[in-house]
Amino acid sequence: MIVAEQKPIDEIKKMVAPYQKLLILGCGTCVKTCFAGGEDEVAVLASALRLSFKKDGKKIEIEEKTIERQCENEFIQEAASCVARNQAVLSLGCGAGVQDIARQFAKVPVLPGLNTTFIGVQERPGLFTEECVGCGNCELALYGGICPITRCSKKLLNGPCGGSQNGICEVDPSVECAWQLIIDRLKTLGQLDNIRAYIPPKDWRSSNSGGPRKLVREDHII
Amino acid sequence: MKTSPSNLQKTLENGKFAVTAECGPPRGANVKVVRQKAELLKGVVDAVNVTDNQTAIVRMSSIAASAHLVQMGLEPVMQMVVRDRNRIALQSDILGAWSLGIKNILCLSGDHQTFGSQPDAMNVFDIDSMNLLRMVKNMRDNGKDMSGFELNEAPQMFIGAAANPFADPFEYRVIRLAKKIEAGADFIQTQCIYNMKRFKEWIRLSREEGLTEKVYILAGVTPLKSAGMAKFMNNRVAGMDVPEDVIKRMEGVPKEKAVAEGLKICLETIAELREIKGISGVHIMAIEWEEKVAEIVKAAGLQK
Ligand code: SF4
Ligand code: SF4
């Protein structure tokens, strides 16, 4: 999923301050799963803002709405009438959601209520970890299903740096060394040979380094 | 055009025990600092490593500081990390370095920028140190850049890599050494050695794989100044292993004798290293303590 977290309330207040009628728009997919932008979070944020603005003596009407996905027009249109009666939208979708909402409603300011952080998983309750940077050419088969591009702090492709100690990454004591994990797993799978040979430099053209990416699916064009 | 090989290469090829030291460029543009450090090392060692924004702190570039050493008649080992430059910048700097008379290069990943003075920087890591080794080798042996373009003059670098026998996972450290040799390393400089037992085990395994026949290994040493330094290095410096008995030994002497004791340990280590088959030299890392190098070299009987 796309993992995100809510921006600090003060930052949100500053962004929405110019408006008297605001729609807080939640998203029911990834950001709901990571407790950042689902229906519940929309409700909590709306009350917090109402209360806080009331204390400040500022008048603001806040409407709440959550759609299934902010990155799919079919769902976005469900929010069209709500958007129409407000001056601005505070989107609790990921960065893609915010932009897709903005794309559909050209004349309405759409503001980000979340900081989109990474593509990841909930490793255990309350702990989300980054797993993939979307490099566009997946090499997980080679590395036993653990991504060194994402999970090694130095993106090393040819084995651990000299700072790997007791399974911990030198960069941050709370981070596991991806290479220790890769080696352990390849040993278990009997595939250590995968990383014995020299691995050439990565071709980053498939990544964001090659510019914004597009995917055309001829079979889905109508 | 064929240029004569570096001193370091000649020393090692002639089977002489090599000695290298380290010179960290200043945090500023003053060349005098480089010259002062260089004076302390001139005629004392075979080559001097010039660090590349070590610990991710902005310093005079390793290429410029190396060029100053060349001018002074010292031989630099230019360190190059892949943290700050992509493959385009790396290749360009290698060509520039060669044109300035720099003949040795040490290919490294580099300390992560979060350790440094500007943790807000974006890192590069376009290629890794292994890829860098192969790149320099291809430039030298095939005279081509990474795109396959024929260079009008190939940089004939003597290529070095680092190895840390004290990092984990231990069993992969020998595989990694083999990979570095295959990628292009002519010589290796190791992490500072305090844990002799583990170092000997690593060398034994490397010997068994025939690796010590394929590469010159310079064993790293750093004289300890105090018990505090020993503990700090063990606990706080990534990839460093200072065993309990070394720390105890430093703690066991009065403060004013700590430097002497550190030196003694360093000399004992060098003596022991010289007896190990497969060790071709020592790399003395006396960080901001360059004046000690001559003393160590002399006391160890390694004068040039
Ligand atoms: S190799 Fe690329 S696509 Fe695969 S997990 Fe890593 S970053 Fe994602
Ligand atoms: S310690 Fe491991 S994860 Fe961290 S940078 Fe080194 S190899 Fe990568």
Side-chain angles (χ1 to χ4, degrees), chain A residues 119 131-141 143 145-151 157 202 204 206-207 213:
Chain A
I119 304 177
E131 309 288 329
C132 172
V133 291
C135 77
N137 185 11
C138 193
E139 322 231 33
L140 281 175
Y143 299 108
I146 295 156
C147 176
I149 298 164
T150 310
R151 296 173 65 187
L157 300 184
K202 187 162 177 76
W204 293 108
S206 60
S207 80
R213 291 166 279 179

Short mmCIF file of all heavy atoms in Angstrom, two decimals, chain A residues 119 131-141 143 145-151 157 202 204 206-207 213, ligand 1:
data_model
loop_
_atom_site.label_atom_id
_atom_site.label_comp_id
_atom_site.label_asym_id
_atom_site.label_seq_id
_atom_site.Cartn_x
_atom_site.Cartn_y
_atom_site.Cartn_z
N ILE A 119 5.87 3.32 -0.36
CA ILE A 119 5.16 2.09 -0.67
C ILE A 119 5.62 1.07 0.36
O ILE A 119 6.82 0.79 0.45
CB ILE A 119 5.52 1.54 -2.07
CG1 ILE A 119 5.26 2.60 -3.15
CG2 ILE A 119 4.75 0.24 -2.36
CD1 ILE A 119 5.67 2.15 -4.55
N GLU A 131 9.10 -0.81 1.44
CA GLU A 131 9.53 -2.06 0.79
C GLU A 131 9.94 -1.87 -0.67
O GLU A 131 10.61 -2.73 -1.22
CB GLU A 131 8.39 -3.09 0.83
CG GLU A 131 7.77 -3.31 2.20
CD GLU A 131 8.68 -4.08 3.16
OE1 GLU A 131 9.46 -4.92 2.69
OE2 GLU A 131 8.61 -3.82 4.38
N CYS A 132 9.48 -0.80 -1.31
CA CYS A 132 9.70 -0.69 -2.75
C CYS A 132 9.72 0.78 -3.15
O CYS A 132 8.91 1.56 -2.67
CB CYS A 132 8.56 -1.41 -3.47
SG CYS A 132 8.53 -1.18 -5.26
N VAL A 133 10.69 1.16 -3.98
CA VAL A 133 10.70 2.54 -4.47
C VAL A 133 10.23 2.61 -5.92
O VAL A 133 10.40 3.62 -6.59
CB VAL A 133 12.09 3.22 -4.33
CG1 VAL A 133 12.42 3.45 -2.87
CG2 VAL A 133 13.18 2.42 -5.01
N GLY A 134 9.64 1.52 -6.40
CA GLY A 134 9.08 1.54 -7.75
C GLY A 134 10.13 1.82 -8.81
O GLY A 134 9.97 2.71 -9.64
N CYS A 135 11.21 1.04 -8.80
CA CYS A 135 12.31 1.31 -9.73
C CYS A 135 11.96 0.96 -11.17
O CYS A 135 12.68 1.31 -12.10
CB CYS A 135 13.58 0.58 -9.30
SG CYS A 135 13.55 -1.19 -9.69
N GLY A 136 10.86 0.24 -11.37
CA GLY A 136 10.41 -0.04 -12.72
C GLY A 136 11.03 -1.26 -13.37
O GLY A 136 10.76 -1.57 -14.53
N ASN A 137 11.90 -1.94 -12.64
CA ASN A 137 12.48 -3.17 -13.19
C ASN A 137 12.82 -4.07 -12.00
O ASN A 137 13.93 -4.01 -11.46
CB ASN A 137 13.72 -2.86 -14.02
CG ASN A 137 14.27 -4.10 -14.69
OD1 ASN A 137 13.62 -5.15 -14.71
ND2 ASN A 137 15.47 -3.99 -15.23
N CYS A 138 11.87 -4.87 -11.59
CA CYS A 138 11.97 -5.58 -10.31
C CYS A 138 12.98 -6.72 -10.35
O CYS A 138 12.93 -7.58 -11.21
CB CYS A 138 10.61 -6.11 -9.88
SG CYS A 138 10.65 -6.62 -8.16
N GLU A 139 13.92 -6.68 -9.42
CA GLU A 139 14.97 -7.70 -9.37
C GLU A 139 14.88 -8.53 -8.09
O GLU A 139 15.88 -9.09 -7.63
CB GLU A 139 16.35 -7.02 -9.43
CG GLU A 139 16.36 -5.85 -10.37
CD GLU A 139 17.50 -5.89 -11.37
OE1 GLU A 139 17.88 -7.01 -11.77
OE2 GLU A 139 17.98 -4.81 -11.74
N LEU A 140 13.69 -8.58 -7.53
CA LEU A 140 13.55 -9.30 -6.26
C LEU A 140 13.91 -10.77 -6.35
O LEU A 140 14.34 -11.37 -5.37
CB LEU A 140 12.12 -9.14 -5.72
CG LEU A 140 11.81 -7.81 -5.04
CD1 LEU A 140 10.34 -7.72 -4.66
CD2 LEU A 140 12.67 -7.62 -3.80
N ALA A 141 13.76 -11.36 -7.54
CA ALA A 141 14.06 -12.80 -7.69
C ALA A 141 15.52 -13.08 -7.34
O ALA A 141 15.85 -14.11 -6.75
CB ALA A 141 13.76 -13.24 -9.12
N TYR A 143 17.39 -11.35 -5.26
CA TYR A 143 17.75 -11.02 -3.88
C TYR A 143 16.86 -11.72 -2.84
O TYR A 143 16.69 -11.20 -1.73
CB TYR A 143 17.69 -9.50 -3.68
CG TYR A 143 18.64 -8.74 -4.58
CD1 TYR A 143 18.19 -7.98 -5.65
CD2 TYR A 143 20.02 -8.80 -4.36
CE1 TYR A 143 19.07 -7.29 -6.47
CE2 TYR A 143 20.90 -8.11 -5.17
CZ TYR A 143 20.42 -7.35 -6.23
OH TYR A 143 21.29 -6.67 -7.03
N GLY A 145 13.77 -11.93 -2.57
CA GLY A 145 12.52 -11.25 -2.20
C GLY A 145 12.72 -10.09 -1.24
O GLY A 145 11.76 -9.63 -0.63
N ILE A 146 13.96 -9.63 -1.10
CA ILE A 146 14.22 -8.46 -0.23
C ILE A 146 14.92 -7.42 -1.08
O ILE A 146 15.93 -7.70 -1.71
CB ILE A 146 15.08 -8.87 0.99
CG1 ILE A 146 14.28 -9.85 1.86
CG2 ILE A 146 15.50 -7.65 1.80
CD1 ILE A 146 15.11 -10.75 2.72
N CYS A 147 14.37 -6.21 -1.11
CA CYS A 147 14.86 -5.22 -2.08
C CYS A 147 16.01 -4.38 -1.54
O CYS A 147 15.82 -3.56 -0.64
CB CYS A 147 13.72 -4.30 -2.49
SG CYS A 147 14.29 -2.99 -3.59
N PRO A 148 17.21 -4.55 -2.09
CA PRO A 148 18.34 -3.74 -1.61
C PRO A 148 18.25 -2.28 -2.05
O PRO A 148 18.80 -1.40 -1.40
CB PRO A 148 19.57 -4.41 -2.24
CG PRO A 148 19.06 -5.10 -3.46
CD PRO A 148 17.62 -5.47 -3.18
N ILE A 149 17.55 -2.03 -3.14
CA ILE A 149 17.45 -0.65 -3.63
C ILE A 149 16.65 0.18 -2.63
O ILE A 149 16.96 1.33 -2.35
CB ILE A 149 16.79 -0.61 -5.01
CG1 ILE A 149 17.65 -1.39 -6.00
CG2 ILE A 149 16.57 0.82 -5.49
CD1 ILE A 149 16.93 -1.73 -7.27
N THR A 150 15.63 -0.44 -2.07
CA THR A 150 14.78 0.27 -1.12
C THR A 150 15.30 0.14 0.31
O THR A 150 15.31 1.11 1.06
CB THR A 150 13.36 -0.33 -1.15
OG1 THR A 150 12.93 -0.40 -2.50
CG2 THR A 150 12.39 0.50 -0.33
N ARG A 151 15.76 -1.05 0.65
CA ARG A 151 15.98 -1.32 2.08
C ARG A 151 17.42 -1.25 2.54
O ARG A 151 17.71 -1.28 3.74
CB ARG A 151 15.34 -2.66 2.43
CG ARG A 151 13.82 -2.58 2.22
CD ARG A 151 13.14 -3.90 2.39
NE ARG A 151 13.24 -4.41 3.74
CZ ARG A 151 12.83 -5.62 4.10
NH1 ARG A 151 12.26 -6.41 3.20
NH2 ARG A 151 12.95 -6.02 5.33
N LEU A 157 24.11 -2.98 -4.51
CA LEU A 157 23.62 -4.15 -5.25
C LEU A 157 24.54 -5.35 -5.09
O LEU A 157 24.19 -6.46 -5.48
CB LEU A 157 23.50 -3.81 -6.74
CG LEU A 157 22.54 -2.67 -7.10
CD1 LEU A 157 22.47 -2.52 -8.62
CD2 LEU A 157 21.16 -2.92 -6.54
N LYS A 202 22.88 -0.55 -12.14
CA LYS A 202 21.47 -0.57 -12.51
C LYS A 202 21.19 0.45 -13.60
O LYS A 202 21.78 1.52 -13.65
CB LYS A 202 20.61 -0.27 -11.29
CG LYS A 202 19.13 -0.45 -11.55
CD LYS A 202 18.33 -0.59 -10.28
CE LYS A 202 16.84 -0.69 -10.57
NZ LYS A 202 16.44 -2.01 -11.09
N TRP A 204 18.82 3.00 -14.58
CA TRP A 204 17.79 3.76 -13.86
C TRP A 204 16.76 4.37 -14.78
O TRP A 204 15.89 5.13 -14.34
CB TRP A 204 18.44 4.88 -13.02
CG TRP A 204 19.28 4.39 -11.89
CD1 TRP A 204 20.65 4.43 -11.82
CD2 TRP A 204 18.84 3.77 -10.67
NE1 TRP A 204 21.09 3.88 -10.63
CE2 TRP A 204 20.00 3.47 -9.91
CE3 TRP A 204 17.58 3.45 -10.14
CZ2 TRP A 204 19.94 2.86 -8.67
CZ3 TRP A 204 17.52 2.84 -8.89
CH2 TRP A 204 18.69 2.55 -8.17
N SER A 206 14.30 3.12 -16.12
CA SER A 206 12.94 2.69 -15.80
C SER A 206 12.41 3.35 -14.54
O SER A 206 11.23 3.25 -14.22
CB SER A 206 12.91 1.16 -15.64
OG SER A 206 13.80 0.79 -14.60
N SER A 207 13.29 4.02 -13.81
CA SER A 207 12.88 4.64 -12.54
C SER A 207 12.48 6.10 -12.78
O SER A 207 12.54 6.59 -13.91
CB SER A 207 14.02 4.60 -11.53
OG SER A 207 14.95 5.64 -11.81
N ARG A 213 6.99 8.86 -15.29
CA ARG A 213 6.71 7.66 -16.07
C ARG A 213 5.26 7.56 -16.50
O ARG A 213 4.37 8.05 -15.82
CB ARG A 213 7.10 6.42 -15.26
CG ARG A 213 8.60 6.34 -15.09
CD ARG A 213 9.00 5.36 -14.04
NE ARG A 213 8.88 5.92 -12.69
CZ ARG A 213 9.16 5.24 -11.59
NH1 ARG A 213 9.53 3.97 -11.67
NH2 ARG A 213 9.05 5.81 -10.42
S1 SF4 C 1 13.58 -4.04 -7.32
FE1 SF4 C 1 12.47 -2.16 -7.90
S2 SF4 C 1 10.35 -2.80 -8.23
FE2 SF4 C 1 11.37 -4.48 -7.13
S3 SF4 C 1 10.97 -4.06 -4.97
FE3 SF4 C 1 12.90 -3.07 -5.44
S4 SF4 C 1 12.36 -0.97 -6.02
FE4 SF4 C 1 10.50 -2.18 -6.08
#
